[in-house]
């Protein structure tokens, strides 16, 4: 049971985030009384659903937002002047 695979959240995690976020928003709007806390709770649900949706779209576009490739790019961009300064 992996949470990430190939630099992105796995499919079941994206689905769970979307369903959980929509469920939190539904419960907030249907059953809680209007207050600042219920608005923050609904906002939290919306954020969860948005993160799940963005991760599923990144999977379709073959983008790896949770990959460590930036470390390799940083090493490739160093120049000899940077190495001499160290």
């Amino acid at each position: 049971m992996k949470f990430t695979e190939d630099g992105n959240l796995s499919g079941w995690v994206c689905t769970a985030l979307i369903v959980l976020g929509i469920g939190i928003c539904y419960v907030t709007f249907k059953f809680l009384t209007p207050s600042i806390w219920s608005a923050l709770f609904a906002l939290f649900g919306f954020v969860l659903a948005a993160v799940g949706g963005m991760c599923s779209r990144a999977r379709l576009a073959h983008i790896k937002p949770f990959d460590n490739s930036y470390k390799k790019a940083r090493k490739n961009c160093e120049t000899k002047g940077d190495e001499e300064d160290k």
Side-chain angles (χ1 to χ4, degrees), residues 5-53:
E5 58 185 33
D6 196 28
N8 199 350
L9 293 179
S10 60
W12 69 270
V13 174
C14 293
T15 305
L17 286 175
I18 293 170
V19 169
L20 185 66
I22 291 173
I24 287 173
C25 287
Y26 176 77
V27 167
T28 301
F29 293 133
K30 187 73 174 174
F31 299 113
L32 294 180
T33 59
S35 69
I36 189 71
W37 298 111
S38 62
L40 290 175
F41 197 59
L43 183 64
F44 176 69
F46 179 74
V47 167
L48 280 180
V51 168

